[in-house]
Amino acid sequence: MHRHTTHTARLLGTAMAAALSATLLPVLAAPSAAAPACDATAANQAPTAATAEQARQAVLCLINVQRAQRGLPQLTVNQALTDAARQHAVAAVRLKWWGPGKDSHRNPQTGSTPQTRIQAAGYCPNPRSWEFSEITYTGWGGSGTPQAAVNWWMNSPGHRAIILKSALRDIGPWAQPGSADRAGAASTTAGTYVVTFGRCQQ
């Protein structure tokens, strides 16, 4: 089983566009033909404490393969975006509030949102214009892998549009062992993924 939500927002100067947040039904996609270009072992295993870094690299690789296949520039890892993604994924696994009808992007304890987390992490201070997006996924029971996360995102129009947005340049990928949904709390093969994206003009 797996649970997912999507959220995207844009900030141009000081005007923020409307944000999208929706809970989506579980979907299973066929393995991506691009997966062999990445570490196939890491891509098809749920993250553990020992393999979490490999899982994060697999998420980055799988997303950049999708972009490269369409002639889009690869995304560059940004530490501030990564810090924001890490903070949210760790909190999600600890609190386990994700699930149907829940907003996976707003921390119920702190009230943090993608924008507040990304800004607090120091991404793109004093910009002329900037934008950001965040996508999330948690899965278990065979669906907690980086490949499952990217497959699902690519088969969801809202997530796919974020991954393939040509204007985006920066990325912060994070893979956290464990489920962010109480329904998957007992699984030993659960993974939670938060990926932040950005474009910064200063």
Side-chain angles (χ1 to χ4, degrees):
M1 283 292 290
H2 34 258
R3 308 275 191 237
H4 340 262
T5 60
T6 183
H7 175 104
T8 180
R10 173 183 293 176
L11 192 65
L12 297 177
T14 58
M16 188 168 70
L20 170 68
S21 181
T23 300
L24 304 174
L25 296 175
V27 175
L28 284 175
S32 170
C38 303
D39 183 335
T41 299
N44 290 287
Q45 290 182 350
T48 66
T51 65
E53 179 57 32
Q54 290 93 321
R56 293 164 200 147
Q57 292 301 317
V59 170
L60 171 65
C61 179
L62 291 167
I63 286 174
N64 271 331
V65 164
Q66 293 294 334
R67 291 174 64 89
Q69 287 179 334
R70 295 160 178 84
L72 298 172
Q74 293 199 355
L75 299 168
T76 301
V77 174
N78 177 275
Q79 188 59 53
L81 290 177
T82 302
D83 289 345
R86 174 187 54 78
Q87 172 196 352
H88 192 51
V90 170
V93 170
R94 178 172 58 86
L95 298 176
K96 300 190 188 311
W97 81 85
W98 296 9
K102 303 293 185 180
D103 182 357
S104 69
H105 304 281
R106 180 180 291 275
N107 184 308
Q109 281 194 351
T110 67
S112 73
T113 65
Q115 181 180 354
T116 63
R117 289 188 293 273
I118 288 170
Q119 287 182 314
Y123 180 70
C124 200
N126 304 313
R128 289 170 52 195
S129 70
W130 72 298
E131 62 181 301
F132 63 87
S133 294
E134 178 184 85
I135 58 177
T136 66
Y137 176 99
T138 192
W140 60 92
S143 296
T145 68
Q147 185 70 72
V150 175
N151 281 344
W152 194 88
W153 288 328
M154 290 301 295
N155 281 275
S156 165
H159 298 77
R160 180 187 178 95
I162 293 170
I163 289 172
L164 300 181
K165 187 166 186 178
S166 60
L168 295 173
R169 290 293 183 268
D170 303 320
I171 187 171
W174 196 262
Q176 186 69 19
S179 173
D181 186 328
R182 292 186 185 278
S187 175
T188 59
T189 58
T192 293
Y193 301 86
V194 177
V195 183
T196 53
F197 302 82
R199 175 190 61 78
C200 177
Q201 183 179 4
Q202 292 176 305

